[in-house]
Amino acid sequence: MGRPPCCDKVGVKKGPWTPEEDIILVSYIQEHGPGNWRSVPTNTGLLRCSKSCRLRWTNYLRPGIKRGNFTDHEEKMIIHLQALLGNRWAAIASYLPQRTDNDIKNYWNTHLKKKLKKLHTGLDDHNQDGFSASQPISKGRWEKRLQTDIHMAKRALCEALSLDKTSQLPEFKPFDGHHPYVRPYQASIYASNAENIARLLENWNKSSPKSVQTNNSENTQNSSNNLVIANGSSPSTEGTATTLDAFDSLLTYNSPTSDVSQSVSVDETANLTPEMNLFQDKSKADLETQVPLTLLEKWLFEDGTTQGQDVDLINMSLEDNPGSF
DNA sequence: AATAGTGACAACCGCTGCATA
DNA sequence: ATATGCAGCGGTTGTCACTAT
C-alpha cells in the first residue's frame, strides 16, 4: 500500500545549488514541465530531494521571476495584502506574480516588519522613508479600519464570485488553492530563465568558490551522463559566455506571454478569492503583529493619488461600510 | 587589518491537506 | 475506510556580504 518514499535521506545533497544543477533542473522542466517532483531527482540524476528541486524551481529558476529591489508600489501592495491576509505569503504572492512567496516573506521579515515597527512605535515622526507617525490612532478607529478591510475583502469576494473570472483575468489567475506559478504545462511557457542563470554563472565565475569548483567537474561529468547541456562547456574552463551559449542553444527563449512579467494592479486584487473566507480568523491571530491601518492607509493613499490603480481597492471607504456584515 | 555585528536571502524543516493505493 | 506519500506552505536557520568599531 502507499507509495515509495519521496527520496532517500542518504546521499541527498544539501546546501546551495550549483549552476550545473540549475541547468539540469531547468532543462528537465523545459522538457517535461513542472510537477511530478518526485521523479525529478531520479530522471535528472540530481542528488537532491524532490522538495529541494521544487523549491529551487519555484523560488529561483522559474521564468518570470523579478529579482532585486522591490518597488514602492510592490511594497505597498505587500503591506496592504499582509494586513488583509496575514502571513499567507503564497496568497500574497499570487497578486505579485513576479515575486515568489519566499521573496515576499523575506522582504517582509527583513525590511517591512522593521519599517512598520518603526512606524508603529512612532519613534521617528518623519523618518527618511517618508512615514509619518505623528498621528496617534485610537484603538477603536484601528479596529474599524480592520473591519473595513474585512468588509472590502468580503465584498470583493462576492464580486469575484459573480463575475466571470476568466474573462476578467485572461492571463493571471489569483490564488486558487494551488501554487500560483504551477500551471498546466505549456512548452512555450517554460523558457529558460536565462537572466537568472546568467547572473548566477557570472557570480560563480567571479567568486569561484571552492565548493563549487570541486563540485564542478563531478557535476559536469554527472550531468553529461544525463543531459547534453554541460557537454564540454564547464564555466570554469570556457567561461560564462560559452556556457550561456550552450544554455541558450538548448533552451529556446520565449517570453511567457510576457503577461507574467507585468505587474498586477491592485484593481485586480479586488477580484479577491475564497482565501478571504479564512482571513477573518487569521486576522485575529495576526493582530499583534500587524500595524494600524490608518497610518498605512495614509501612506497608501499618498501613493494612490499618483497610482490610480491603487485607488479602487484602497478607496473602498468606511462610508459604504455599515461596519457590520 | 582584524573582528564583531548586522542585513539579506537561499535553502531547509516540519506541518497540513489532498490524492492515491 | 484507511494508511501512506506528495505537494505546498509558512517558519526558521545557515551562510555570505557588508559595515562599524
Side-chain angles (χ1 to χ4, degrees):
Chain A
M1 191 188 272
R3 299 168 174 174
C6 120
C7 55
D8 294 327
K9 292 291 176 187
V10 186
V12 173
K13 192 180 167 195
K14 289 184 180 180
W17 280 65
T18 65
E20 276 90 356
E21 288 177 311
D22 282 342
I23 291 170
I24 290 169
L25 180 60
V26 168
S27 60
Y28 178 81
I29 292 171
Q30 162 83 8
E31 198 176 336
H32 298 93
N36 197 11
W37 294 106
R38 187 175 156 251
S39 66
V40 172
T42 327
N43 294 344
T44 59
L46 286 168
L47 300 175
R48 298 277 181 173
C49 78
S50 55
K51 214 172 183 178
S52 184
C53 294
R54 182 177 55 78
L55 278 177
R56 183 63 180 172
W57 170 256
T58 55
N59 289 337
Y60 202 83
L61 299 172
R62 180 174 56 82
I65 292 181
K66 181 174 155 194
R67 311 197 67 82
N69 294 342
F70 280 70
T71 65
D72 209 32
H73 181 54
E74 287 174 316
E75 205 170 276
K76 285 163 187 173
M77 275 191 75
I78 292 167
I79 291 171
H80 203 79
L81 287 167
Q82 203 277 344
L84 286 168
L85 299 168
N87 294 355
R88 311 187 63 214
W89 307 115
I92 292 172
S94 70
Y95 294 98
L96 293 159
Q98 294 176 293
R99 303 289 187 179
T100 69
D101 53 354
N102 207 35
D103 233 9
I104 292 170
K105 180 173 63 182
N106 282 335
Y107 191 69
W108 175 265
N109 287 331
T110 55
H111 292 87
L112 298 178
K113 223 158 134 182
K114 290 171 197 165
K115 216 170 185 175
L116 295 175
K117 194 179 173 185
K118 249 187 186 179
L119 181 74
H120 187 44
T121 53
L123 288 177
D124 47 350
D125 278 358
H126 296 284
N127 66 22
Q128 54 189 6
D129 295 311
F131 288 102
S132 171
S134 58
Q135 292 179 322
I137 323 151
S138 71
K139 192 187 170 192
R141 200 175 166 202
W142 188 115
E143 284 170 349
K144 208 171 178 184
R145 284 290 180 182
L146 181 63
Q147 284 186 340
T148 306
D149 267 359
I150 292 169
H151 172 70
M152 280 162 49
K154 201 174 177 182
R155 198 176 94 169
L157 173 63
C158 294
E159 287 171 7
L161 290 174
S162 66
L163 290 173
D164 180 6
K165 274 189 184 178
T166 54
S167 63
Q168 285 247 324
L169 300 170
E171 294 295 336
F172 172 62
K173 186 184 175 191
F175 188 87
D176 61 355
H178 296 84
H179 195 285
Y181 306 120
V182 179
R183 301 178 183 187
Y185 174 60
Q186 292 177 322
S188 63
I189 288 180
Y190 298 105
S192 77
N193 196 352
E195 266 180 41
N196 285 348
I197 299 287
R199 184 172 39 77
L200 194 137
L201 290 175
E202 250 175 56
N203 294 337
W204 184 54
N205 259 1
K206 278 180 198 164
S207 54
S208 295
K210 282 180 188 171
S211 60
V212 175
Q213 281 183 328
T214 51
N215 285 334
N216 193 19
S217 57
E218 296 167 19
N219 285 336
T220 307
Q221 274 191 331
N222 181 31
S223 54
S224 66
N225 292 333
N226 305 287
L227 291 154
V228 199
I229 344 146
N231 188 14
S233 57
S234 164
S236 64
T237 57
E238 299 201 19
T240 305
T242 314
T243 309
L244 284 176
D245 286 346
F247 186 73
D248 283 340
S249 67
L250 179 76
L251 306 168
T252 48
Y253 188 90
N254 290 325
S255 176
T257 67
S258 76
D259 296 76
V260 174
S261 61
Q262 286 173 359
S263 68
V264 177
S265 74
V266 183
D267 280 346
E268 288 173 19
T269 66
N271 289 310
L272 292 172
T273 66
E275 284 297 293
M276 293 306 188
N277 287 330
L278 304 170
F279 84 82
Q280 290 188 25
D281 294 338
K282 186 68 185 177
S283 296
K284 261 185 193 175
D286 290 331
L287 282 183
E288 287 178 15
T289 59
Q290 292 179 12
V291 177
L293 292 175
T294 307
L295 287 176
L296 286 178
E297 287 178 357
K298 183 174 184 295
W299 181 46
L300 290 161
F301 270 116
E302 284 168 11
D303 188 60
T305 57
T306 55
Q307 303 206 31
Q309 69 263 43
D310 289 347
V311 176
D312 283 353
L313 177 68
I314 298 163
N315 262 1
M316 295 176 75
S317 63
L318 286 167
E319 282 71 39
D320 65 330
N321 170 26
S324 60
F325 32 124

